[in-house]
Amino acid sequence: MSLDLAAERSARTRPDPATGAWRAEPFLHVEPARLYNPLTDRALVPESPGYAQVRALALGETTPARLDPALRSTLAQEGWLVEQVGDLSSRFLLKYVSFEANTVCNQGCYFCPVSTHPREPHTMSLEFYEDITRQLAEFKDSLIGVSMIHYNEPTVDKFFVERVAMLRRYGLPPAVLTNGWGLTPARVDTILDLGGLKFLSINLSTLDRERYAADRRGDHLPVVMRNLEYVKNIRLAETMEIAVLGQGDDVHRRDFEEIGAAFAGSLFDVKYYEVMNRAGNVVVG
């Protein structure tokens, strides 16, 4: 990512910090042991110069006028301070994009809103998809991932491979979140020929076939495992992970251990995630 580009988009031109009316960047993420600026993609940690001062500014415990002039100038140049003029809400740094190119999923997972709020079947045309992709190409220097279909299942989309090819053609990083059902060996080989993916996440909650079918309303585990067996040692994406979702109980921990053992030594990084009720929209448990 180009931090110069990020700084340009987040601040345009910076006046002299000694003469302007300044404040802490209002979009800062103030975390327990980190300050993150989403407009420059920079972070300060406790040992970073200026961390204590920026944190105090963000929490309203001090003002820019009380800062050492040299430090104030540095913080302004790095984007931690902004001048209080104009509309500060219109600035952005585009890092992630999620398409909804397909409204269909072949499963009905208990932890997903698609299972309780399905939509009418629709597939975005390649023409419209390319029109959006062409516009996104302007931001390719800052984009980390373009999720082809965030919700629903991307591999049931008849244009799945074509969409990968299109993103690659415009220099964008394809990200695929999938249950693995349609990630067939033939598609894997084709995507490799296109240059591969930036990110691949396989949603696999258990190796127990009966529970898999019950939790997802689809008896797809044998097909999924055949596909994963083929791809597990192929560098299809720069980052490859298996997301083991569950309710944080003993069953979930056992599933995580079993899946971790099954893919030990492969290119997949097996990760443990607890499901959530999506603000009450999904009944969990």
Side-chain angles (χ1 to χ4, degrees), residues 57-128:
L57 287 169
L59 295 177
E61 297 171 352
T62 189
T63 64
R66 296 178 181 176
L67 297 179
D68 173 80
L71 177 61
R72 184 171 62 233
S73 178
T74 298
L75 294 177
Q77 292 300 322
E78 293 180 353
W80 300 106
L81 296 180
V82 293
E83 194 181 31
Q84 298 186 91
V85 294
D87 180 11
L88 297 180
S89 68
S90 63
R91 300 162 305 137
F92 66 92
L93 173 66
L94 192 62
K95 293 177 64 178
Y96 303 99
V97 171
S98 293
F99 275 101
E100 188 178 14
N102 173 50
T103 64
V104 176
C105 187
N106 62 331
Q107 296 185 348
C109 304
Y110 72 90
F111 46 77
C112 179
V114 172
S115 66
T116 56
H117 297 78
R119 303 183 62 184
E120 291 296 321
H122 179 75
T123 298
M124 184 185 292
S125 71
L126 285 176
E127 291 76 16
F128 188 33

Side-chain angles (χ1 to χ4, degrees), residues 202-216:
I202 307 293
N203 181 343
L204 179 64
S205 51
T206 183
L207 298 181
D208 183 294
R209 183 172 178 176
E210 290 187 5
R211 280 198 291 115
Y212 185 100
D215 288 347
R216 297 165 178 267

